[in-house]
Amino acid sequence: MLAQTGKRLTTRITDHVQEKLQAAADLVGATLNQFVVQAALEKAEKVIESESAIVLTRRESLRLLEMIENPPPRNENFLQAQARYQRLKNDAGSTA
């Protein structure tokens, strides 16, 4: 299934968990180690994917496009925040 790279991962599990994992590994014709590594890798990929993408409904995506094309007017709070950002950016640039 996976090529050996020389890295080792150890964990402690109960007999019940080991029996269940071994039964699943046997069903797919893998060693216990191969099964656990593959399952962990698949889970890691799902987590990374779900945390790397934002899923919007059709309504939300249309609203986002509308806001990009027609942004709301800049209010006083925005202008103050923009001025603070520019000051911080300029201060950081002068010390570098």
Side-chain angles (χ1 to χ4, degrees):
M1 238 178 207
L2 295 175
Q4 291 185 351
T5 61
K7 300 290 182 181
R8 182 176 297 272
L9 176 67
T10 59
T11 185
R12 296 189 187 282
I13 56 176
T14 65
D15 288 340
H16 172 72
V17 170
Q18 183 170 3
E19 289 167 6
K20 187 172 257 188
L21 292 173
Q22 186 64 61
D26 292 344
L27 288 171
V28 295
T31 66
L32 179 58
N33 189 56
Q34 290 170 328
F35 180 82
V36 169
V37 169
Q38 187 62 40
L41 185 57
E42 288 172 10
K43 179 67 173 185
E45 288 170 351
K46 286 180 183 177
V47 168
I48 290 168
E49 182 181 333
S50 72
E51 293 299 319
S52 300
I54 298 173
V55 179
L56 301 176
T57 65
R58 177 172 166 74
R59 182 177 179 184
E60 291 167 333
S61 61
L62 291 174
R63 176 72 174 137
L64 177 60
L65 290 173
E66 174 64 26
M67 296 291 290
I68 291 170
E69 291 176 359
N70 301 303
R74 296 174 176 176
N75 62 24
E76 188 60 31
N77 288 341
F78 176 87
L79 296 173
Q80 289 173 3
Q82 186 179 35
R84 278 193 310 275
Y85 169 75
Q86 288 299 330
R87 282 194 306 274
L88 288 171
K89 189 171 136 183
N90 291 339
D91 290 346
S94 65
T95 60

